[in-house]
Amino acid sequence: MDADSYTRTDLTPEQSAEHDRVLGELTQRTRDLMDAQLRTEVDAAEVETISAALAGLTGRLLAKATNDPLGIEVGTDGRVRNAGNTVVGLRNPIAPPLHVERSPDGKAWASFHLNALFEGPPGLVHGGVSALILDQLLGESAAAGGAPGMTGRLTLSYRRPTPLGELSAEAWIENIDGIKTTVKGHIKDAEGNPTVEAEGLFILPRWAREAMAKARPERFE
Amino acid sequence: MDADSYTRTDLTPEQSAEHDRVLGELTQRTRDLMDAQLRTEVDAAEVETISAALAGLTGRLLAKATNDPLGIEVGTDGRVRNAGNTVVGLRNPIAPPLHVERSPDGKAWASFHLNALFEGPPGLVHGGVSALILDQLLGESAAAGGAPGMTGRLTLSYRRPTPLGELSAEAWIENIDGIKTTVKGHIKDAEGNPTVEAEGLFILPRWAREAMAKARPERFE
């Protein structure tokens, strides 16, 4: 949680793309496995065989591995890469992932699918998962509008149940006041009805301002 | 999302325990794999071999599988089993999992570890992950106090950064007013300092009251 948390990568864009392709494929295969192991009804002996095989594959992956979280990488093109992020991370199998689109006026939006891994009440999206997604989307809205920050306060109003399946979400900036940005947004069901509304206050702490300036001086100096 | 979403199981407690042991082990091996595939630095050829092996194991798990989310099961002992839940589910690899302790006066608490899969800002827990965990814990507090419900409103105040690693959380009932229950809680870092505070309003909708009464008539009739 200091200036070294934002690291620079020296990979060329082509090398980055190949790296993303191979590791993104691994993460997608992991997502598929997570879903399958939740829904499986194969017999106990087969489950135990598969558990042992997974332990073997984990050992192979850890033959060479970092002990650190991925953090946030800033590419030679100035693009921020947060591959480990829980909601949008290319390499994070928890991430649905959200592919967030953004516009310079601070709008952010995404369409996504939530499967049984995101269940709370029967057949419905976990209320906390809606909060997780909206926190990320509102933060991206603030950043898209030139006012990035960490969540200071987040209020969620649950208007109706959010069914598992195809969903969308959008967020927009309500107000910018110095280092404080107020953002609103909602999740919508397949019929376009808002199910969960959110209002967030995002604040850019000093350590983050310093860290980002160090990693990307051309923008912050 | 109807009365059939709460299903009864006819497994004996001993059969349930063995089922949980075998499938819980599969899910834990999946969690280990998720962490390893995030941190791995093995070469691209090895990653591609492992991706192919995972696809094979997924196929074996899907040889017999349900297409439905797990929902919530009520055992012959009246115990509610939500193995698919995103935060506490024994069979959900996204779940850290939280092992929530509860008291009849509506307190709920848990100690847990969040690894790099739960990262937002570099080295820190994603703000939305804190929301996800607190939504679950506050809901369990309401249920423990005899006033279960779905989230109506949730407000999160981020007081200081939450580092990845060892954490704890607690929640308690502030007020019960008919089908509306107000609950407060927070996450604490390893030093015991509150990092994120939450206040939630939980409401039990009619369909859930009817569904739970159908699945567990001895309690609700």
Side-chain angles (χ1 to χ4, degrees):
Chain A
M1 197 189 78
D2 56 26
D4 295 327
S5 302
Y6 290 78
T7 54
R8 299 194 77 136
T9 175
D10 295 324
L11 294 182
T12 67
E14 292 71 25
Q15 289 168 326
S16 279
E18 175 63 7
H19 186 259
D20 285 356
R21 187 189 67 76
V22 172
L23 287 162
E25 170 80 6
L26 175 65
T27 302
Q28 189 52 50
R29 292 291 80 77
T30 303
R31 290 188 189 110
D32 295 344
L33 177 88
M34 291 160 65
D35 173 53
Q37 68 86 53
L38 182 67
R39 299 191 287 110
T40 193
E41 295 179 342
V42 299
D43 65 37
E46 176 74 345
V47 170
E48 291 186 320
T49 303
I50 292 169
S51 292
L54 288 176
L57 295 175
T58 296
R60 287 172 64 174
L61 289 167
L62 293 179
K64 186 179 174 199
T66 175
N67 282 319
D68 298 325
L70 293 201
I72 295 181
E73 214 174 62
V74 182
T76 50
D77 55 356
R79 195 170 135 238
V80 170
R81 297 163 45 79
N82 48 2
N85 182 284
T86 311
V87 179
V88 300
L90 174 83
R91 291 186 59 187
N92 192 323
I94 295 178
L98 241 63
H99 299 289
V100 179
E101 298 183 85
R102 324 196 310 180
S103 61
D105 59 346
K107 291 195 176 64
W109 63 97
S111 295
F112 50 97
H113 180 96
L114 296 184
N115 64 15
L117 291 162
F118 300 97
E119 189 181 32
L124 302 178
V125 174
H126 194 297
V129 168
S130 296
L132 169 62
I133 287 171
L134 284 165
D135 177 62
Q136 178 70 31
L137 195 71
L138 269 59
E140 298 228 12
S141 168
M150 287 172 60
T151 319
R153 193 175 60 244
L154 183 68
T155 301
L156 301 140
S157 301
Y158 296 82
R159 299 302 183 191
R160 68 186 83 203
T162 306
L164 294 171
E166 296 301 324
L167 297 165
S168 62
E170 54 196 20
W172 58 93
I173 293 177
E174 280 281 309
N175 186 51
I176 300 178
D177 177 14
I179 59 166
K180 296 182 180 180
T181 306
T182 302
V183 184
K184 290 189 176 182
H186 53 222
I187 291 179
K188 294 191 291 188
D189 62 22
E191 285 73 45
N193 300 310
T195 61
V196 185
E197 295 170 356
E199 177 170 336
L201 177 68
F202 293 84
I203 302 167
L204 193 60
R206 180 178 299 156
W207 68 262
R209 293 199 295 276
E210 291 170 355
M212 293 174 77
K214 182 173 171 183
R216 199 157 48 151
E218 68 278 11
R219 174 157 176 194
F220 287 87
E221 270 178 9
Chain B
M1 199 189 79
D2 55 24
D4 295 326
S5 302
Y6 289 79
T7 54
R8 301 195 75 138
T9 175
D10 294 324
L11 294 183
T12 66
E14 292 72 25
Q15 288 169 327
S16 280
E18 175 62 7
H19 186 260
D20 285 356
R21 186 189 66 76
V22 172
L23 287 162
E25 171 79 7
L26 175 66
T27 302
Q28 190 52 51
R29 293 291 79 76
T30 302
R31 290 188 189 107
D32 294 344
L33 177 88
M34 292 160 64
D35 173 55
Q37 68 85 52
L38 182 66
R39 298 191 287 111
T40 192
E41 294 178 342
V42 299
D43 65 36
E46 175 75 343
V47 169
E48 291 187 318
T49 303
I50 293 170
S51 292
L54 287 176
L57 295 175
T58 295
R60 287 171 66 174
L61 288 167
L62 293 178
K64 186 180 175 198
T66 176
N67 283 318
D68 298 323
L70 293 199
I72 296 182
E73 215 174 61
V74 182
T76 51
D77 55 356
R79 196 170 134 236
V80 171
R81 297 162 46 78
N82 49 0
N85 183 283
T86 311
V87 179
V88 301
L90 174 82
R91 291 187 59 187
N92 192 322
I94 295 177
L98 241 64
H99 299 291
V100 179
E101 298 185 85
R102 323 197 311 182
S103 60
D105 60 346
K107 291 195 176 66
W109 63 97
S111 294
F112 51 96
H113 180 95
L114 295 185
N115 64 16
L117 291 163
F118 300 97
E119 187 180 34
L124 302 178
V125 174
H126 194 295
V129 169
S130 295
L132 169 62
I133 287 172
L134 283 164
D135 177 61
Q136 178 71 30
L137 195 71
L138 269 59
E140 297 229 11
S141 167
M150 286 171 61
T151 319
R153 193 175 58 243
L154 182 68
T155 302
L156 302 138
S157 301
Y158 295 82
R159 299 303 184 190
R160 70 186 83 205
T162 305
L164 294 170
E166 298 300 323
L167 298 164
S168 62
E170 55 196 19
W172 58 91
I173 292 177
E174 280 282 308
N175 185 51
I176 300 178
D177 177 14
I179 59 167
K180 297 182 179 180
T181 306
T182 303
V183 184
K184 289 190 175 180
H186 52 224
I187 291 178
K188 294 190 292 188
D189 63 21
E191 286 72 45
N193 299 310
T195 61
V196 186
E197 296 170 357
E199 177 169 334
L201 177 68
F202 292 85
I203 302 166
L204 193 60
R206 178 177 300 158
W207 67 261
R209 294 199 295 277
E210 291 171 353
M212 294 173 78
K214 182 175 172 184
R216 200 159 46 152
E218 66 279 9
R219 175 159 176 194
F220 287 86
E221 273 180 7

